[in-house]
Amino acid sequence: MTASDEPPGSAAHVLELVANGSASSRADLVRELGLAASTVSTRVQELVEAGLLTESGEGVSRGGRRPRLLRIADRGAVALAADLGSRHIRTGAVGLTGDCLDTDDHPFDLTAGPEPALEALAERLEVLAERQRAAGRTVRGVGVGFPGPVDADGARVIAPSRMPGWHLFPLRDRLADRLGVPVLLDNDANMMALGEHRAAHPARRHLVVVKAGRGIGSGVISDGRLHRGAGGSAGDISHVRVDEAAHLPCSCGNIGCLETVAGGAAIAAALRGKGLAVDSAGEILRLVENGEPHATTLVRQAGRDIGAVLAVVVNFFNPEAVVLGGALAGAQPLVAAVRGTLYERCLPMATSELTIDAAACGPDAGLLGAGQAVLRRTAAHSPTSPPVP
C-alpha cells in the first residue's frame, strides 16, 4: 500500500477525520462516513487498542446521551521522517497530532552514490529513534521523501537526474533491513503535498503542490488523496519543455526542460556566469531578499516559466489551490510571477476560485507528509498489532 491508499471508512480514514477535526465522536463519524454505528465502533475500538486514539470526557448532547470525545493520542506513536535533498538530509519525528519533533538538517551530497547515502541516512535515523524511545515514544516506522522518481510500489528509485548509481536502487528495503522497522518511500514533492494538504488545507480536495528548489517537482492531491499515476510519475513537471529553455540540454537526456532554466541549480549556474559565488537555492533566496538585480530577474523569469507549465495543469486538472513550496518559493518575485502567469493564461473558470500562495509548513512539509503517511498506513494495515519495538 502506498501513501495514497486510504479506503473510505477504513481505520486510516477514521484517524484522518479525527486528526483534521472533521469528527470528535463516534456519532460524528457515523454522520461523516455514512456507515453503521456498529462498524464505526469497531474501527474506533481498533484504534483505541492500538494506542492511536483516546476516548474520554463528554461532548455536547444533540438530543441523546452526551458523546465521549475522540482525540488523537498525544504520546506514544511516532514515525521517523526524512526529507532528502540533493545536498542535504532533513530528519524529524512526527506524531499523530501533526507535531514535528527533534528536527535537524545534515549536509550531504546524494550524487556521491546510494551506499554512502544509505549509511548516512541510517545513522541519522538510528540516533533519532533512540531519542524517541528515551522520551517514552514508540517508533512505528520510517517515511522517506526522495528527490527523484520512485516506482509505483514505493520500493525503488527510478532513473533520477544528476544522480548516477541510483537507478533501481532498493532504498526502501535496504533501509528497512538496516533499521528493523517498516519504511515508506515516495517522491519528495509527493510527501510535501501530503504534508501541506493535511496540515494547512485539510478541507480542500484538489491541490497542486510545487516544490521549487535545486530541481522542480510537484505533488497532486485529487479528491483528497495523493495521486501518483499508473507508474508513480504523476506531477513530474520538471521535464516539460518550455520556450525559454530553447535547446538547452537537460540531465534527463532531453533538451529544453523546465528544470534547465527554472531550477535552483540552473539559476545558480547562471549567476556564477555573472561572477556571483552562488551554489544553493538558499543562497539565491538571500540574493533576491537583498535586491541583487541578476538574481531577482532570473527568479522572476523562473516564476513565469513555472507558471506557463502550471497553466496547462490548472486548465486540465482544475485544482482549488496551487501551493508553492521549496527554498525558491520564499522569493516573492517568483510567487508573484507564477500567480500572474496563471491568471493570464488560464481560463477564468479555472482561476475564479483558485488560491495561489506559498506553502504554509515551510521546510517541515515533507517531514509531516512522510510521517503522517506512515502512521496512517500503520492504522490501515494492522491497527491492533503490537507496535514496532
Side-chain angles (χ1 to χ4, degrees):
M1 179 177 286
T2 64
S4 61
D5 299 320
E6 293 178 5
S10 66
H13 190 200
V14 169
L15 196 67
E16 180 78 18
L17 291 173
V18 176
N20 67 27
S22 298
S24 60
S25 68
R26 298 187 188 213
D28 289 345
L29 288 169
V30 170
R31 283 190 292 272
E32 288 283 338
L33 297 170
L35 299 175
S38 59
T39 301
V40 169
S41 290
T42 298
R43 296 282 189 273
V44 169
Q45 192 59 38
E46 289 174 346
L47 292 165
V48 169
E49 291 176 1
L52 303 178
L53 283 182
T54 63
E55 192 173 26
S56 63
E58 292 185 340
V60 177
S61 171
R62 297 190 181 184
R65 298 173 53 184
R66 297 178 68 183
R68 301 185 71 196
L69 297 177
L70 295 170
R71 294 185 178 88
I72 298 294
D74 59 0
R75 284 184 60 86
V78 296
L80 308 185
D83 186 14
L84 307 185
S86 57
R87 299 292 182 87
H88 79 284
I89 298 173
R90 183 171 177 82
T91 57
V94 177
L96 283 161
T97 54
D99 48 339
C100 209
L101 310 167
D102 298 321
T103 58
D104 207 353
D105 272 298
H106 319 286
F108 189 82
D109 185 0
L110 286 184
T111 64
E115 294 296 343
L118 176 66
E119 183 65 25
L121 178 59
E123 287 179 358
R124 297 296 181 183
L125 290 172
E126 285 168 344
V127 171
L128 182 60
E130 287 304 314
R131 189 175 301 167
Q132 303 316 301
R133 291 169 182 137
R137 306 182 188 111
T138 301
V139 176
R140 290 188 173 270
V142 173
V144 178
F146 185 86
V150 174
D151 68 11
D153 294 328
R156 299 176 301 176
V157 175
I158 303 294
S161 300
R162 307 182 309 277
M163 294 184 189
W166 277 97
H167 181 52
L168 298 182
F169 186 75
L171 180 58
R172 182 193 67 185
D173 295 340
R174 289 286 301 275
L175 192 59
D177 289 343
R178 170 70 181 265
L179 299 177
V181 297
V183 174
L184 187 151
L185 174 68
D186 208 334
N187 172 262
D188 60 343
N190 284 345
M191 292 303 197
M192 174 179 282
L194 284 172
E196 278 290 320
H197 178 233
R198 286 170 173 160
H201 305 279
R204 288 183 167 141
R205 306 295 293 171
H206 307 285
L207 300 175
V208 175
V209 180
V210 178
K211 184 173 184 179
R214 286 187 67 83
I216 300 171
S218 73
V220 178
I221 302 295
S222 177
D223 197 22
R225 302 170 68 191
L226 178 66
H227 176 70
R228 302 181 76 249
S233 66
D236 189 353
I237 63 173
S238 188
H239 300 289
V240 175
R241 287 195 184 188
V242 294
D243 293 340
E244 188 71 17
H247 300 292
L248 293 175
C250 180
S251 57
C252 73
N254 214 327
I255 59 172
C257 295
L258 175 65
E259 182 176 297
T260 64
V261 290
I267 295 172
L271 290 172
R272 288 195 297 272
K274 296 181 181 299
L276 296 168
V278 181
D279 189 50
S280 69
E283 291 170 351
I284 295 169
L285 179 59
R286 283 191 289 275
L287 287 176
V288 173
E289 290 172 341
N290 289 329
E292 204 290 319
H294 296 302
T296 302
T297 298
L298 287 170
V299 164
R300 183 176 288 116
Q301 183 59 51
R304 294 191 190 101
D305 294 330
I306 295 170
V309 173
L310 288 178
V312 179
V313 176
V314 168
N315 278 332
F316 178 80
F317 177 53
N318 189 204
E320 297 163 87
V322 171
V323 179
L324 304 172
L328 289 181
Q332 283 304 310
L334 183 139
V335 177
V338 171
R339 185 182 290 117
T341 303
L342 287 177
Y343 283 126
E344 176 187 346
R345 298 195 179 197
C346 291
L347 294 169
M349 187 176 179
T351 57
S352 61
E353 301 292 333
L354 181 68
T355 299
I356 308 162
D357 215 340
C361 298
D364 288 340
L367 297 181
L368 290 169
Q372 292 289 322
V374 170
L375 292 170
R376 280 156 177 75
R377 186 179 69 166
T378 300
H381 277 193
S382 53
T384 58
S385 64
V388 177

